[in-house]
Amino acid sequence: NAKLRHVEKDVLIPQIMRDRAKELCSDKVQAFTRCCQETGFLMVVKCRQENTALKDCLVGYYSDPSFYEECKAEYLKQREEYRATGIKKKRQKVASNV
């Protein structure tokens, strides 16, 4: 029975979704980053395929209702732990260039 505030629904949970999606799409993030580093100013033209693959991967997660529910559950767990202890836990992030 968790009531969510506007900022939780529209900011905090989507932030978890973005972070997790970047982790889950890390191979595509790395491919796009590598392409951009190798091509410089021509990246808009030369990295179109990598950019499309990355966007498709991220949007796939953003538009998945079950992924939203997973991230919401993760947020609620963090919120419950914070309310119980007063200590805010940071998410473990996979190292990436993004």
Side-chain angles (χ1 to χ4, degrees):
N1 185 2
K3 187 119 169 114
L4 294 172
R5 295 175 297 146
H6 166 73
V7 71
E8 292 172 319
K9 283 191 281 189
D10 297 342
V11 178
L12 301 176
I13 294 171
Q15 181 60 53
I16 291 174
M17 291 177 74
R18 281 190 297 275
D19 291 346
R20 286 198 59 209
K22 281 182 190 173
E23 291 169 11
L24 295 166
C25 298
S26 65
D27 56 333
K28 290 163 185 61
V29 170
Q30 290 170 4
F32 178 67
T33 301
R34 194 169 37 252
C35 181
C36 291
Q37 289 170 341
E38 291 169 0
T39 58
F41 290 114
L42 296 175
M43 69 182 175
V44 173
V45 175
K46 297 218 174 194
C47 301
R48 195 171 290 151
Q49 186 176 348
E50 290 83 353
N51 188 31
T52 299
L54 175 56
K55 279 185 187 173
D56 289 348
C57 184
L58 294 173
V59 168
Y61 284 109
Y62 298 158
S63 59
D64 180 353
S66 63
F67 184 67
Y68 175 84
E69 290 302 321
E70 281 177 39
C71 294
K72 177 179 160 184
E74 181 178 332
Y75 171 76
L76 291 172
K77 184 178 176 202
Q78 290 173 4
R79 185 177 79 172
E80 184 179 327
E81 288 174 8
Y82 174 74
R83 287 179 176 175
T85 64
I87 300 169
K88 185 173 183 175
K89 289 192 177 181
K90 294 226 176 221
R91 285 193 82 246
Q92 294 289 332
K93 287 192 177 184
V94 173
S96 79
N97 294 334
V98 176

